[in-house]
Amino acid sequence: MAEQPVRVLACGDVEGRLNALFNRVQTIQKKTGQFDLLLCVGEFFGTTPEAEAEWQQYKTGAKKAPIHTYILGAASQETVKSFPSADGCELAENITYLGRRGVFTGVSGLQIAYVSGREALQEPAPAHCFTSKDLSALVAPLTSSSKFRGVDILLTSQWPRGVSQYGNTSEVNTKSCGSSSVANLADKLKPRYHFAALEGAHYERLPYRNHVVLQENAQHVSRFIALATVNNPAKKKYLYAFNIIPMKTMDPTELVKQPQDVTENPYRSSAKDKTDKLKTSFNATEEEEPSHQFFFDLSKKQGGGFRGHGRKRHSDGDGRGRDQQHEAGDGRHQGQPKQPRRHPQPSGPCWFCLASPQVEKHLVISIGSHCYLALAKGGLTPQHLLILPIGHYQSVVELSSEVVEEMEKYKSALRSFYKSRGERCVLFERNYRSQHLQLQVVPVPLDRCATEDIKEAFMVQAQEQQMELMEIPQHTDLKQIAPPGTPYFYVELDSGDKLFYRIQKHFPLQFGREVLASEAVLNIPTRADWRECKQSREEEEESCKQLRDDFQPFDFAWED
């Protein structure tokens, strides 16, 4: 066989016991031959004087690691001082710090994704913690490629929350231990091997599948392995040896072979659990950030207004039911048990799921039963808004009927609102490199230009970019021309005209903004990029307060 396997050793928390670790590695290598690399998860450095003295020997070159060793960063405040910067660097000969988070690809093509430290529980995050932004920055470049199938190895300090679900039991309670964000990360990156530490335990979970049987093409399995601390007195396993052929050079049929003992994915709800969704591991997220928390936050700012009106929002009892179903990966709403599962749960932090800790709550203008309205961050104009589904849907074509219905009500309310101000509105959606549906609504003053001029501006700029913008009949449902999963760009004008482009390979991410910012429409070309239009939090809060007051007479969610 042409493919050459890479020989890898993985190790749990070293805690400064370098001599013990490297002596053990040398013994193994004498018996079984050279390994290519050693990957250390958890805490590498210790805090005792002995640990410091051992490290100095390697740092000064008096001793040398017998193998290329790659380590994660600090997992506690005490060991932060051992790392010169957040970026990866060589700390001593043959000992390399990978960095806070990133992807390391070896000469063999082996792809290793990694995240150092623990999940941050507050902002600003301490130096030994990672944030949702770190995870988004790691996931986005990988998963945006249509060729992405997964990574070979994932290294995290923390365990993924709920990893033992559907699997063999662990001595650690995985419902309360570890991080939900790490679980989401593992679900998104589909590693063939995932190593973690910090719990002082050894746990090899049964392999789990990354596809839904009979619904999706077969994919490779993932193996989660937690390792104990080096030289632990209970003699729990802290070193794991394996051979791996990099995914990119492997025969696809070999890659997706399913072992006999394969189980369901622990991070997703399986069909048999749909009757008991609260069993799912994602429920841990609910405990950390109750979705109804959001409404209380708003009601403080609104003098109780949000709680006093629009009772529909609390139709799920305490406001949690709807989002627990969404977290559990089942797209059904109460009272509609037969609704087919249409959308995935967010795999990784989502900035727009209403129950998510990442949501910038101060930007919200109105909340309905299925959708909400928010101020666009870095908007084209001060009244540039977003209509978003509360649950996690990627695009308009994936929405269930009741969500579509409410989205139409918000569109209608906004048209009336803008009309009262002497403006017409343009709606557009980009279903490309976006995780959660955002329907952009931009007002254009009636005296600036006619609807025909706006339509022409879109057509002309599309031609310049060699893109074929199609006009679709007013009463045609987008679902008829764009099945779920199709990347597209869509525009809706106040005349009822609809423009559609099926994205082929590349698409300018700011296209919608660029057209509206152009001389032909709003004539504010410097505002085409949202990053150039950022406001301070105080300015955003002030804008939102004003907009909420102005929009209230048109807001059906306030009606008794």
Side-chain angles (χ1 to χ4, degrees):
M1 230 175 19
E3 302 104 344
Q4 201 54 42
V6 184
R7 304 194 71 213
V8 184
L9 284 168
C11 173
D13 303 90
V14 182
E15 293 181 351
R17 301 180 189 93
L18 304 183
N19 293 340
L21 168 64
F22 291 134
N23 289 344
R24 179 92 183 97
V25 168
Q26 277 178 312
T27 307
I28 291 170
Q29 294 201 128
K30 272 181 193 157
K31 277 188 198 167
T32 63
Q34 279 296 107
F35 277 78
D36 296 297
L37 65 163
L38 166 64
L39 306 171
C40 298
V41 288
E43 285 281 26
F44 184 75
F45 290 104
T47 51
T48 62
E50 298 80 32
E52 182 56 38
E54 274 190 38
W55 168 241
Q56 285 306 320
Q57 294 181 301
Y58 291 89
K59 195 176 176 181
T60 56
K63 283 190 174 179
K64 179 186 163 181
I67 184 171
H68 288 297
T69 304
Y70 296 92
I71 73 170
L72 292 182
S76 64
Q77 198 55 57
E78 295 74 46
T79 56
V80 168
K81 62 180 186 299
S82 304
F83 297 89
S85 78
D87 300 320
C89 56
E90 188 168 81
L91 299 176
E93 191 180 355
N94 263 0
I95 300 178
T96 302
Y97 163 46
L98 286 166
R100 280 185 59 160
R101 45 95 179 146
V103 180
F104 169 76
T105 307
V107 283
S108 61
L110 191 73
Q111 198 175 41
I112 303 169
Y114 56 89
V115 177
S116 294
R118 298 174 187 268
E119 183 173 8
L121 299 175
Q122 78 265 14
E123 288 282 356
H128 66 283
C129 293
F130 63 84
T131 65
S132 53
K133 284 179 189 165
D134 287 317
L135 300 189
S136 299
L138 173 58
V139 167
L142 289 168
T143 55
S144 63
S145 162
S146 59
K147 292 182 179 155
F148 179 75
R149 288 177 296 175
V151 295
D152 289 304
I153 298 171
L154 173 62
L155 308 177
T156 61
S157 305
Q158 273 184 302
W159 285 36
R161 177 74 58 93
V163 66
S164 65
Q165 185 177 222
Y166 312 132
N168 43 326
T169 52
S170 149
E171 64 177 278
V172 171
N173 178 359
T174 64
K175 284 182 181 170
S176 57
C177 135
S179 154
S180 301
S181 295
V182 169
N184 276 326
L185 179 71
D187 188 30
K188 191 82 169 166
L189 293 186
K190 302 183 173 85
R192 292 162 68 199
Y193 285 87
H194 177 184
F195 294 98
L198 296 186
E199 299 297 331
H202 165 239
Y203 173 56
E204 286 184 44
R205 192 202 183 282
L206 289 170
Y208 63 86
R209 57 174 72 93
N210 282 297
H211 63 278
V212 180
V213 178
L214 300 178
Q215 287 181 34
E216 296 171 322
N217 291 337
Q219 295 181 45
H220 60 270
V221 299
S222 292
R223 289 174 163 84
F224 172 74
I225 296 140
L227 294 162
T229 312
V230 169
N231 252 19
N232 64 86
K235 300 220 173 339
K236 293 175 190 172
K237 186 170 179 175
Y238 65 83
L239 208 53
Y240 182 91
F242 65 109
N243 291 347
I244 182 169
I245 295 170
M247 196 186 289
K248 64 189 294 183
T249 60
M250 209 174 160
D251 179 302
T253 51
E254 284 296 311
L255 178 65
V256 302
K257 277 191 175 167
Q258 306 290 301
Q260 287 288 317
D261 55 355
V262 67
T263 75
E264 289 292 338
N265 187 317
Y267 313 127
R268 300 184 206 168
S269 177
S270 83
K272 65 176 182 283
D273 271 347
K274 283 183 182 168
T275 51
D276 191 8
K277 294 181 197 69
L278 300 188
K279 271 189 189 169
T280 69
S281 54
F282 281 96
N283 198 36
T285 316
E286 299 298 333
E287 287 156 25
E288 289 155 18
E289 177 79 8
S291 39
H292 61 257
Q293 170 96 40
F294 189 85
F295 305 118
F296 297 139
D297 284 354
L298 272 177
S299 64
K300 284 179 207 159
K301 290 177 190 160
Q302 299 262 141
F306 265 80
R307 287 162 83 183
H309 298 271
R311 308 102 357 263
K312 298 178 295 184
R313 288 175 220 126
H314 295 281
S315 60
D316 293 337
D318 64 353
R320 291 165 64 105
R322 174 172 55 237
D323 286 304
Q324 279 170 334
Q325 289 172 346
H326 137 61
E327 285 286 347
D330 184 318
R332 301 182 302 192
H333 290 266
Q334 289 195 349
Q336 283 197 300
K338 296 269 168 69
Q339 186 77 30
R341 173 173 154 163
R342 274 218 181 86
H343 62 286
Q345 73 276 2
S347 35
C350 179
W351 297 95
F352 298 105
C353 280
L354 197 50
S356 164
Q358 283 80 28
V359 165
E360 299 208 44
K361 300 170 183 178
H362 65 289
L363 297 175
V364 172
I365 304 295
S366 163
I367 305 174
S369 299
H370 307 291
C371 300
Y372 71 101
L373 203 58
L375 184 71
K377 205 166 178 63
L380 262 170
T381 73
Q383 284 79 36
H384 177 173
L385 296 173
L386 304 176
I387 306 175
L388 305 118
I390 289 171
H392 188 75
Y393 295 87
Q394 191 171 336
S395 68
V396 162
V397 299
E398 292 175 18
L399 297 178
S400 54
S401 55
E402 69 271 32
V403 187
V404 171
E405 199 178 310
E406 190 168 89
M407 197 163 259
E408 290 301 327
K409 283 177 82 171
Y410 267 122
K411 284 184 194 176
S412 178
L414 285 172
R415 286 189 185 109
S416 305
F417 169 57
Y418 291 133
K419 192 176 176 184
S420 73
R421 304 165 54 89
E423 296 165 325
R424 61 168 54 87
C425 68
V426 179
L427 295 99
F428 68 90
E429 180 201 359
R430 184 193 81 227
N431 179 30
Y432 173 71
R433 295 205 176 175
S434 55
Q435 196 190 354
H436 188 114
L437 159 61
Q438 303 151 55
L439 192 60
Q440 313 263 346
V441 192
V442 181
V444 178
L446 293 170
D447 56 9
R448 274 274 339 138
C449 56
T451 305
E452 276 304 309
D453 301 327
I454 301 173
K455 184 174 170 182
E456 192 183 352
F458 272 104
M459 292 297 199
V460 168
Q461 288 213 28
Q463 277 174 335
E464 283 174 12
Q465 305 263 8
Q466 272 109 43
M467 297 186 316
E468 181 94 32
L469 255 187
M470 254 167 58
E471 196 166 340
I472 56 175
Q474 289 191 17
H475 300 293
T476 299
D477 190 345
L478 205 52
K479 291 179 187 183
Q480 292 168 261
I481 48 173
T486 310
Y488 63 81
F489 176 77
Y490 166 75
V491 184
E492 202 174 307
L493 301 169
D494 64 330
S495 56
D497 288 348
K498 297 175 181 178
L499 306 175
F500 173 83
Y501 171 63
R502 186 186 290 258
I503 295 170
Q504 307 300 330
K505 280 189 181 168
H506 302 294
F507 181 77
L509 296 183
Q510 304 283 359
F511 178 71
R513 286 184 68 117
E514 283 165 4
V515 174
L516 295 175
S518 69
E519 199 177 337
V521 187
L522 288 167
N523 194 18
I524 42 172
T526 54
R527 297 187 69 83
D529 188 337
W530 73 274
R531 285 164 296 207
E532 304 297 316
C533 309
K534 281 186 184 169
Q535 294 180 295
S536 68
R537 189 179 170 105
E538 291 70 31
E539 288 170 323
E540 287 174 343
E541 283 175 353
E542 189 52 46
S543 300
C544 273
K545 186 177 182 303
Q546 187 60 54
L547 256 172
R548 274 189 215 117
D549 293 344
D550 293 346
F551 181 62
Q552 190 188 328
F554 303 89
D555 188 356
F556 60 86
W558 282 77
E559 293 162 10
D560 284 313

